[in-house]
Amino acid sequence: MSTHRLSLISSYSSAESLFQRFIKMVSDTSVSFTSVNGYAKTLNVIPKYFLSVCKRLSGKTASEIINEEIIKTSKIMLRDNTKSIKQIADSLNFANQPHFGTFFRRHVGMSSQQYRSKSSECFY
């Protein structure tokens, strides 16, 4: 096998490994970066390379993957009425509750309070 081909295989393997570590980190609720740079720094890679790996292997940007996970986690947390929306925003590392509210509305199409009310209606 040529050196160039081995290099490409090795490069793909390391990219795939990086991507898998990223996906694991994003899914881990104890790690809650909201920026691509936070993940890139933790993974010890430059953001530009990190972004290209995510796009190449998933077809999505790193930001899209992060945002999808934040929304998924937010929805789960909002269904549980034991935490206030402010506590949820804090636990997801948003600067404040209004910032979380704006983010949630932009991605879900309704406020976090509306989502909470609507989801609690489904259980009764």
Side-chain angles (χ1 to χ4, degrees):
M1 195 175 287
S2 74
T3 306
H4 178 68
R5 186 172 167 113
L6 282 173
S7 174
L8 287 175
I9 292 170
S10 174
S11 172
Y12 184 76
S13 298
S14 62
E16 203 166 76
S17 172
L18 170 69
F19 184 71
Q20 291 304 320
R21 289 189 347 249
F22 166 61
I23 293 301
K24 187 176 180 183
M25 285 176 69
V26 169
S27 301
D28 182 352
T29 56
S30 68
V31 179
S32 54
F33 298 118
T34 55
S35 75
V36 170
N37 289 342
Y39 284 101
K41 183 177 180 178
T42 301
L43 293 164
N44 295 316
V45 294
I46 60 172
K48 187 175 180 178
Y49 173 69
F50 176 59
L51 292 169
S52 70
V53 166
C54 288
K55 188 69 171 177
R56 186 175 76 218
L57 295 180
S58 72
K60 297 178 183 177
T61 67
S63 293
E64 288 172 325
I65 295 167
I66 293 165
N67 291 343
E68 286 172 2
E69 191 62 33
I70 291 169
I71 290 300
K72 183 176 111 185
T73 303
S74 298
K75 287 179 173 181
I76 292 167
M77 294 175 90
L78 286 165
R79 287 186 205 117
D80 176 9
N81 286 322
T82 60
K83 284 189 176 183
S84 70
I85 293 174
K86 182 185 181 333
Q87 289 172 315
I88 293 169
D90 289 344
S91 70
L92 293 171
N93 285 339
F94 280 88
N96 53 46
Q97 184 178 340
H99 184 234
F100 170 69
T102 300
F103 174 86
F104 192 87
R105 182 182 293 276
R106 184 179 37 209
H107 290 280
V108 180
M110 67 177 77
S111 73
S112 52
Q113 186 60 51
Q114 289 170 320
Y115 182 84
R116 175 171 266 175
S117 296
K118 187 175 181 176
S119 66
S120 67
E121 290 171 7
C122 294
F123 296 112
Y124 298 108

